[in-house]
Amino acid sequence: MIATGTDIRPLEVLLFMRDVKSRSYYEQMKGRGTRTCSVEELKAKGTPSAKYSKDHFVIIDAIGVENSQKTDSRPLEKAPGVSLKDVLANVAMGNTSEDMLTTLANRLIRLECQLSEKDKLKFAEQANGFTINHIVKQLLNAHDPDSIEKIELGVKLNLRGQAPIEIEAAIEKGKQQLIEDAVAVFHNPDLRDFIVDIRKKYDQIIDVVNIDTITNIGWVKDQDAAANTTITDFKTWIESHKDEITALQIFYAQDYRHREFSYKMIKDLCEKLKTEKPLLAPLAVWRAYEQLEKTNGSTKNELIALVSLIRRVSGIDATLTAYDKTVDKNFQDWVFKKQAGTLKFTEPQMQWLRMMKDYVANSFHIDRDDFDLSPFNAEGGLSKMWQLFGEETDAIINELNEVLAA
């Protein structure tokens, strides 16, 4: 670690042999290598055999400093008790101290993370085309030691031989210009008003006037009543849409086993349910069933939960059963029947069939195009399927789609 202000321009190699946890310290260390150096100075203080001026430096990371987690040791927020409106007003009236500018930069960084793309464009329109990131960078650079050092070196180089008082005055003028450039955009009252107004849009309002009151306190019987209400509402919604939604038509039709049922169908159904009835989200209904009756297995995700619930409501399953368990049982029965005859699956064939079974358990249907996806593509895809099952390939695909969903 080298003290701030030490100028080591000839540094060409930066070697890390222990970790650095502070992001600011790490950036400072890397900053030592960014100093440019003329070929003459490089020869005199660094590499005597140098033929060109220094235009790059090398980092040797011996222990993984680049990939380790860093923390910002110094917070940008220096005025937590001052409102954003007052911070903007202070800057507009000439308070350009480091604490005030870094605080404003911190507030803008937080705001930028919340704004939509449309609001970011509106901000740029009010800020003479500048983005929030650009303005933040200028605010942070206004008091940055490296930026100030660059100004000092530039002035000393340009005014070499001049009186020290003139050099100091020029340096001070350069520093002030750096600050003025950073805050110039905030002299526009329309921009300040826009920032305050748009911030209010994303504020979380805490109502301290209309205090919530408890209207009912209940025990387990009340929870059972709530679960009953949830299940009843879910059944009502399913019954009222069973003639208009394709996925539900397939479940309620007599020939549902022979119909096309896809992942997209159940996903669209799930989105429609959650949009129209947010309180009837599949996992919430599943928990309501668990409250009232014994269920077979646990659900892995909301789509599998929804299929399991529809099977229960439509009468396909007598008890609520996780769909993947249904698929597993149907698969075992199918294999047992096949193996009981003259057909005997080899171990490679069984491995492939298990992959197909797992795929159906999560995606509800399988066809030829799915063999281009994981996990089949890693095992040879459809061509491998043909090598294992030959002319029976299409028959097995169709049969599994029918049997596993039974």
Side-chain angles (χ1 to χ4, degrees):
M1 190 66 190
I2 302 173
T4 301
T6 304
D7 194 7
I8 46 173
R9 293 178 177 276
L11 189 150
E12 297 177 84
V13 177
L14 191 59
L15 171 63
F16 285 95
M17 298 203 52
R18 66 171 179 165
D19 202 358
V20 181
K21 298 296 185 181
S22 169
R23 184 179 301 279
S24 59
Y25 284 167
Y26 180 56
E27 294 300 328
Q28 285 181 33
M29 292 177 181
K30 289 197 298 184
R32 305 304 172 186
T34 62
R35 307 291 202 279
T36 58
C37 183
S38 65
V39 63
E40 291 79 12
E41 187 176 4
L42 191 58
K43 285 182 176 180
K45 299 180 180 180
T47 305
S49 61
K51 297 181 179 179
Y52 308 99
S53 60
K54 176 188 170 186
D55 59 359
H56 73 280
F57 72 104
V58 176
I59 294 179
I60 299 178
D61 186 359
I63 49 92
V65 178
E66 183 67 29
N67 296 325
S68 66
Q69 187 174 1
K70 307 288 188 297
T71 58
D72 292 317
S73 57
R74 293 180 296 175
L76 294 176
E77 182 65 65
K78 303 295 177 58
V82 182
S83 68
L84 177 59
K85 182 178 181 180
D86 290 339
V87 171
L88 289 166
N90 270 275
V91 171
M93 289 187 294
N95 184 353
T96 58
S97 65
E98 181 177 3
D99 286 356
M100 193 57 61
L101 294 192
T102 56
T103 295
L104 179 54
N106 180 64
R107 304 287 180 89
L108 292 177
I109 290 172
R110 291 166 57 190
L111 181 62
E112 199 270 343
C113 294
Q114 296 176 310
L115 293 183
S116 64
E117 291 301 323
K118 183 178 180 181
D119 288 335
K120 290 178 183 179
L121 290 175
K122 289 182 180 179
F123 181 98
E125 291 175 2
Q126 296 285 347
N128 300 324
F130 295 126
T131 63
I132 296 180
N133 286 333
H134 175 82
I135 293 174
V136 167
K137 184 177 180 180
Q138 285 190 310
L139 289 172
L140 296 178
N141 283 340
H143 292 281
D144 180 60
D146 287 337
S147 299
I148 295 174
E149 182 183 12
K150 185 177 180 180
I151 291 174
E152 293 176 349
L153 294 176
V155 169
K156 290 177 181 179
L157 181 63
N158 293 331
L159 298 182
R160 183 177 296 172
Q162 299 292 326
I165 191 171
E166 293 183 5
I167 294 177
E168 291 298 326
I171 291 175
E172 191 60 33
K173 182 178 180 181
K175 293 179 182 179
Q176 191 60 37
Q177 187 63 48
L178 189 65
I179 295 174
E180 290 178 2
D181 290 343
V183 301
V185 68
F186 297 105
H187 294 315
N188 178 6
D190 292 336
L191 174 62
R192 299 199 302 272
D193 292 340
F194 173 80
I195 294 174
V196 173
D197 292 339
I198 201 66
R199 182 69 187 88
K200 291 179 181 178
K201 176 181 176 182
Y202 293 93
D203 274 341
Q204 181 182 9
I205 305 301
I206 300 176
D207 188 353
V208 296
V209 177
N210 304 301
I211 304 300
D212 291 338
T213 58
I214 298 175
T215 58
N216 183 46
I217 298 177
W219 300 93
V220 174
K221 62 178 182 179
D222 296 317
Q223 295 179 12
D224 289 347
N228 262 316
T229 300
T230 299
I231 293 172
T232 301
D233 291 345
F234 178 76
K235 289 180 178 179
T236 301
W237 191 90
I238 293 295
E239 289 287 339
S240 65
H241 290 81
K242 68 180 182 180
D243 295 327
E244 63 183 69
I245 299 177
T246 305
L248 295 179
Q249 291 174 357
I250 292 174
F251 278 104
Y252 278 87
Q254 294 296 322
D255 61 341
Y256 70 92
R257 301 180 186 179
H258 307 285
R259 298 282 296 276
E260 182 87 4
F261 182 65
S262 67
Y263 178 87
K264 184 179 184 303
M265 288 181 186
I266 196 65
K267 184 174 178 62
D268 292 342
L269 173 60
C270 186
E271 292 301 323
K272 181 176 178 62
L273 173 63
K274 292 195 297 183
T275 300
E276 295 185 6
K277 296 287 185 178
L279 296 180
L280 299 182
L283 295 181
V285 180
W286 183 282
R287 287 192 293 270
Y289 267 102
E290 287 181 323
Q291 180 77 24
L292 299 177
E293 65 179 52
K294 185 177 181 180
T295 58
N296 185 8
S298 60
T299 182
K300 295 179 179 178
N301 58 60
E302 63 180 6
L303 296 187
I304 293 178
L306 182 55
V307 172
S308 305
L309 290 166
I310 296 173
R311 290 173 62 92
R312 175 71 175 87
V313 171
S314 62
I316 298 174
D317 293 333
T319 59
L320 182 59
T321 304
Y323 184 66
D324 55 331
K325 280 189 170 293
T326 298
V327 171
D328 286 342
K329 182 180 183 302
N330 292 340
F331 179 74
Q332 290 175 4
D333 294 342
W334 178 77
V335 171
F336 180 78
K337 290 179 181 178
K338 289 288 186 182
Q339 300 277 46
T342 57
L343 178 62
K344 302 294 182 182
F345 292 124
T346 64
E347 183 53 36
Q349 288 177 324
M350 282 302 302
Q351 181 181 356
W352 198 263
L353 291 172
R354 291 188 194 99
M355 285 195 299
M356 295 174 66
K357 179 262 297 182
D358 292 338
Y359 188 86
V360 171
N362 289 280
S363 299
F364 316 112
H365 186 84
I366 188 170
D367 55 32
R368 281 170 162 265
D369 293 339
D370 294 325
F371 288 93
D372 293 331
L373 307 175
S374 178
F376 307 110
N377 55 359
E379 301 294 333
L382 188 60
S383 60
K384 181 64 175 180
M385 178 78 176
W386 273 93
Q387 290 179 18
L388 293 173
F389 298 97
E391 298 294 334
E392 296 295 320
T393 295
D394 290 334
I396 288 177
I397 293 175
N398 294 332
E399 195 171 346
L400 283 178
N401 279 324
E402 177 180 335
V403 170
L404 297 183

